[in-house]
Amino acid sequence: MKPIIQVEGLSKVYRPEGQAPGDEQLEVKALDSISLSIERGDFVAIIGQSGSGKSTLMQILGLLDRKSSGKYLLDGQDISLFDDETLAALRSKKIGFIFQFFNLLPRTSAKDNVSLPMLYAGDDNPYPRAEELLKKVGLNQRLDHKPHQLSGGQQQRVAIARALANRPSIIFADEPTGNISSEQSNEILSMLETLNKEEGVTVILVTHEPDVAERANRIITLKDGKVEKDERNKKIAYQSGSESLNNDSFQTKASAGWSRIKENLRMAVVALSLNKVRTALATLGIVIGIGSVVAMVSVGKGAQQSIEEQLSSLGTNLLTIWPINPKSNPKMTNSRPLRKFTLEDLAALQRQVTPNSPISGVGSTVSGTVTVSNGANNKSTRIIGATSSYEQLQNASLTVGHFFTEEDNRKRERVAILGQTVVKELFGTGENPVGKIIKVNKVEFRVIGVLSAKGANSFQDADDQIIVPILTTMHRVLGKQNVDNLTVAVREDKLIDDVTEQIRNVLRARRGLKEGIEDDFSVRSLNEIREAVNKSTQAISSLLAAIASISLLVGGIGIMNVMLVSVKERTKEIGLRKALGARKKDVMVQFLVESILICLLGGCLGLCVGYSLSAAASLWFGWSVIVPLSAAVLAVVFSMAVGLLFGLWPAKQASDLSPIEALRYE
Ligand code: ADP
Ligand code: MG
């Protein structure tokens, strides 16, 4: 029968970090070429003075540490061929550890402590067995006690129950009685003896007390990393027919069971609630980040929508023609004076309107500022001198009265149509001003209609204006010879390009522009203007969102910081978990769950904050609240992603720790 443990020429050299191999002054040769084999079912004590290498030997045999050189066969298989997963599986299923300082998970009940190795082995319901084991070590009254509520001896008994959880074939015990009273240590030793005799478990016990060692079958004495003595005390109670190591059966179950997820969540909640202030501050970062992103996105959306609404009330297939001042346009080569449009230009365009032409109407406006008065009430307002086509072109609607005609215009009639604001200030509410006489710059005008309300935007009050025939305005009010612009309505959207071309030709001919000379006027459709405005509001809202995401980034860095601290603080715990069979994956998931949990919490709170902010903004600006559902989903997904991203590195740091390195960490 092959021995369960066989080592040849096993050495372990500790050298300080960053030390090149070979500098013998700083190196510690803890194990010096040890060769021995241990039979299945044996009870072996390793003794020796402090510093003789007992713990080192046991940690290497127990797969917690790596050897420097030599050969180690565990159940006939060379362990240097095993990968990380298999090593974790072996630690969890093949080996049970009992430490001098118990190493129970703090703030975790005895039952949960005992269940841990079973969870890591993929057992979905370890609790009945955990209870059974605790009963076996005489702690059935202490299932839910936490380590700090138990005596040293009781803690060590929990540790024994934990070591037995996955029915190991070897138990390593490093000075298990070193920290408990002699009475209790007697009990512990009896338990180990029973396990050895009745269940055939191989026990390897490290001690420096000769009377403890006396209870073993075989005593190996170490001195300065070498075997000094190796003597047999009693005959081995050979356990025939013990199972042999089969790798497949030691692979943990692939399915991540519900219990394991629950354990991860439980640990995350414990860890987070232990440091409430730190958790709250880290969460606050994410709340601010997500909150500002949500608020900015929805404010941007609201602004965009309100501008859109205002633009669409203006009619879409309208072309507006403005003169360009060549001097103020650096792209234009020849210096020419600014040429405004005249009534002749308007007439020339009007001649283009034939029954079959794609142009459905032509108009023009001129505007200025005037003082209007009714008796003692007077105010300053905008006057728009318009052609009679204005009503149709601009979709102007009246609440009372009628629009003026081309006849009125030609006769330069002194008639006016008032905006709502003007009516309110000159007549007060509730009075019909149609037919009344007002004064415009001290000249009497008859009111013939009232425009329906258009509402104010952030730039100007669209109701603070009066509309007067263009000829009257030019000659009787403002004294202007030119019009401000020309407008052309196109029958169908798709004809816009053709009409633009047609207008350019007419105007270029009128202005005598030779080929090669740029237009000194611009023809733009409202659609174009709307697109340009849309583009710029979109650009502004993305900019706002981008700035807001910077705060999310900062929040994420805060999370990373907290997680790194958490990893540092819990290094020892990580080592312990690994010693109990946690794989890299398990440790990684544990810390990721923690950071995702913080971020998710922050994300949900941030969503509420962002929503309230945007509700406040929309009250202030007077537009509807738009927090798109996509923003809510995005906030949650995004905060989880932030947790994942910024938790990844700390989690990786944690999972890369070697078990014993972490366990030794102070
Ligand atoms: P024992 O358990 O027999 O008291 P150890 O196996 O703990 O002894 O230590 C053996 C030797 O290795 C000692 O000289 C000790 O100082 C040294 N040693 C143990 N652990 C480390 C370490 N992590 N780094 C450097 N030297 C170590
Ligand atoms: Mg030791």
Side-chain angles (χ1 to χ4, degrees), residues 30-202:
L31 293 181
D32 192 359
S33 201
I34 285 187
S35 297
L36 54 83
S37 65
I38 293 172
E39 306 296 327
R40 193 180 304 280
D42 209 345
F43 190 146
V44 182
I46 300 176
I47 61 169
Q49 283 173 345
S50 174
S52 55
K54 308 182 292 292
S55 297
T56 306
L57 177 61
M58 210 197 63
Q59 283 152 4
I60 291 175
L61 294 182
L63 305 179
L64 294 184
D65 206 356
R66 292 183 181 279
K67 57 187 163 44
S68 302
S69 61
K71 206 167 181 183
Y72 175 15
L73 302 181
L74 179 60
D75 223 346
Q77 298 203 40
D78 190 344
I79 58 128
S80 36
L81 303 177
F82 293 153
D83 61 6
D84 201 71
E85 285 262 310
T86 316
L87 287 177
L90 286 172
R91 278 182 218 122
S92 134
K93 297 216 159 179
K94 183 83 182 168
I95 294 169
F97 257 104
I98 301 167
F99 302 91
Q100 179 174 359
F101 298 101
F102 327 129
N103 282 348
L104 299 179
L105 272 191
R107 304 172 293 275
T108 303
S109 72
K111 194 162 81 180
D112 282 331
N113 260 302
V114 176
S115 305
L116 205 59
M118 294 185 263
L119 283 174
Y120 283 135
D123 189 341
D124 259 349
N125 185 18
Y127 306 107
R129 175 152 171 85
E131 282 174 30
E132 180 196 312
L133 284 167
L134 282 168
K135 203 184 238 168
K136 196 162 155 185
V137 296
L139 288 178
N140 41 341
Q141 303 298 321
R142 298 277 189 280
L143 298 181
D144 294 316
H145 282 55
K146 312 235 159 109
H148 68 271
Q149 299 163 323
L150 297 169
S151 76
Q154 286 170 330
Q155 289 190 49
Q156 196 60 299
R157 280 190 271 164
V158 175
I160 289 177
R162 182 178 64 186
L164 297 178
N166 288 324
R167 301 185 174 81
S169 30
I170 317 173
I171 284 195
F172 291 96
D174 191 353
E175 313 234 14
T177 57
N179 278 303
I180 49 185
S181 67
S182 55
E183 194 181 324
Q184 285 190 310
S185 84
N186 198 29
E187 261 175 52
I188 301 278
L189 287 171
S190 310
M191 270 177 207
L192 291 177
E193 277 170 350
T194 318
L195 274 174
N196 175 250
K197 284 214 185 72
E198 289 174 10
E199 296 181 33
V201 179
T202 312

Side-chain angles (χ1 to χ4, degrees), residues 337-352:
L338 167 68
R339 283 164 72 186
K340 296 183 176 172
F341 292 122
T342 60
L343 290 168
E344 284 77 51
D345 292 318
L346 174 63
L349 288 186
Q350 263 158 351
R351 283 194 294 276
Q352 303 292 315

Side-chain angles (χ1 to χ4, degrees), residues 433-612:
V434 173
K436 299 267 162 61
I437 301 296
I438 61 168
K439 285 188 174 170
V440 177
N441 281 359
K442 302 202 169 115
V443 180
E444 290 189 342
F445 274 69
R446 186 161 45 88
V447 179
I448 57 168
V450 175
L451 287 166
S452 46
K454 286 189 179 161
N457 60 29
S458 26
F459 313 110
Q460 54 178 248
D461 179 1
D463 296 323
D464 186 7
Q465 62 178 21
I466 64 173
I467 298 177
V468 169
I470 190 165
L471 290 178
T472 318
T473 310
M474 286 168 70
H475 301 302
R476 296 195 155 184
V477 183
L478 298 177
K480 283 190 179 176
Q481 296 306 311
N482 297 298
V483 298
D484 291 348
N485 58 38
L486 302 168
T487 38
V488 169
V490 183
R491 260 183 233 292
E492 280 178 75
D493 273 350
K494 62 173 190 243
L495 297 172
I496 283 179
D497 287 345
D498 292 347
V499 173
T500 305
E501 208 44 42
Q502 190 183 345
I503 294 168
R504 281 187 60 218
N505 289 337
V506 171
L507 291 177
R508 284 180 68 88
R510 284 191 52 75
R511 300 181 156 225
L513 298 181
K514 295 203 190 73
E515 215 163 305
I517 297 178
E518 308 92 325
D519 296 350
D520 54 2
F521 56 88
S522 78
V523 185
R524 306 194 61 182
S525 72
L526 264 182
N527 259 344
E528 244 176 282
I529 293 169
R530 184 210 230 140
E531 270 163 30
V533 171
N534 253 349
K535 238 187 222 157
S536 58
T537 49
Q538 218 147 39
I540 290 171
S541 53
S542 342
L543 186 71
L544 287 178
I547 291 171
S549 0
I550 291 176
S551 61
L552 191 59
L553 183 74
V554 173
I557 292 172
I559 296 289
M560 181 138 91
N561 191 15
V562 164
M563 292 311 298
L564 281 172
V565 172
S566 181
V567 167
K568 266 269 176 300
E569 271 182 2
R570 284 150 66 198
T571 304
K572 209 170 166 136
E573 178 197 317
I574 296 165
L576 177 63
R577 284 172 181 274
K578 286 201 149 182
L580 297 180
R583 297 163 299 177
K584 274 186 175 203
K585 247 197 311 216
D586 296 313
V587 175
M588 188 114 175
V589 166
Q590 187 194 330
F591 281 89
L592 282 182
V593 163
E594 206 173 304
S595 70
I596 290 177
L597 212 62
I598 303 184
C599 288
L600 207 55
L601 181 70
C604 292
L605 288 177
L607 190 59
C608 301
V609 169
Y611 189 86
S612 324

